[in-house]
Amino acid sequence: MAEGYVLKASVRDRVGKGAARALRREGLVPAVIYGEKKAALPIAIPIKESTIALHRGGFMTHLGTIEVDGVAHRVIAKDYQLDPVRDDLIHVDFLRVSKGATLTVDVPVHFINEEKCPGIKAGGVLNVVRHTVEMTVPADAIPDALVIDLAKAKVGDSIHISAVDIPAGSAPTITDRDFTLATIAAPGGGAGASDEDEAAEDESEG
């Protein structure tokens, strides 16, 4: 698991749209820390450092530390909002994370060896059905990604979750079927009907 971020924060004593706008003018982002059956803690975090942490990648899958008045809170981001024009953060929801906790997160799916893939070399196209997989994971060992090796994938192949090396202690939340992550479609989109049907089913349910 990659290194997380550390942000210094202050407690917000006012809430609401007017207070949020005032914070943003000061270079701060309104946020809240909740969970673990404790009262929600409204905070303000620095917009520059927070936006850097977001765009560095893994913001929703890496644990972070937020220091509030000298007290460190271990958290994971559960939701955020962006300014539609500037792409800066304008609000973040953080979940408290205790030691030994289990979390539900969307783990990214990464593909390797596309340049070696026999199916792609033959003119096939990688059709990604799921870019992320919802998984239950240990808070102290959140996978950075599920890695799929395409070195032997041929035209018409479907790559299912059973073909992926799942890290110890982690598991997909979908347990009732061996769902599809990607297919190698034939040139011109001539993938097998069963693959297309399965992909459509996964997309509609995912």
Side-chain angles (χ1 to χ4, degrees):
M1 188 180 72
E3 191 73 21
Y5 49 88
V6 178
L7 298 172
K8 291 189 180 297
S10 55
V11 175
R12 278 190 290 144
D13 53 8
R14 292 190 302 135
V15 296
K17 290 184 178 179
R21 282 195 294 268
L23 282 174
R24 293 182 195 114
R25 285 195 295 269
E26 297 171 17
L28 299 171
V29 180
V32 63
I33 301 174
Y34 68 95
E36 288 192 337
K37 298 181 179 177
K38 297 178 182 176
L41 178 62
I43 58 172
I45 53 180
I47 189 168
K48 181 180 177 181
E49 290 84 348
S50 304
T51 301
I52 289 172
L54 169 68
H55 293 304
R56 194 167 56 207
F59 192 58
M60 306 284 282
T61 54
H62 293 170
L63 294 183
T65 300
I66 298 181
E67 297 176 356
V68 186
D69 296 333
V71 178
H73 299 259
R74 196 166 76 144
V75 300
I76 190 166
K78 295 302 289 183
D79 194 19
Y80 64 87
Q81 294 171 276
L82 293 176
D83 183 285
V85 177
R86 295 191 302 273
D87 213 28
D88 290 333
L89 280 169
I90 58 174
H91 192 274
V92 189
D93 288 344
F94 293 104
L95 176 69
R96 293 184 182 94
V97 178
S98 60
K99 200 164 186 63
T102 299
L103 303 173
T104 299
V105 299
D106 289 328
V107 177
V109 178
H110 289 174
F111 297 89
I112 61 172
N113 289 325
E114 289 186 52
E115 71 283 355
K116 298 179 182 177
C117 176
I120 293 176
K121 283 185 175 180
V125 177
L126 175 63
N127 171 38
V128 180
V129 178
R130 290 178 180 271
H131 292 275
T132 62
V133 174
E134 186 179 73
M135 303 185 70
T136 54
V137 299
D140 296 302
I142 303 172
D144 287 329
L146 299 180
V147 179
I148 297 175
D149 190 345
L150 299 174
K152 297 181 180 179
K154 300 180 178 63
V155 171
D157 282 357
S158 293
I159 300 154
H160 299 92
I161 190 65
S162 60
V164 180
D165 185 13
I166 304 292
S170 299
T173 57
I174 296 175
T175 58
D176 61 346
R177 67 185 188 280
D178 189 14
F179 56 90
T180 305
L181 298 176
T183 63
I184 305 295
S194 61
D195 288 345
E196 289 182 338
D197 292 344
E198 188 173 1
E201 178 187 346
D202 276 340
E203 286 178 324
S204 66
E205 294 187 19

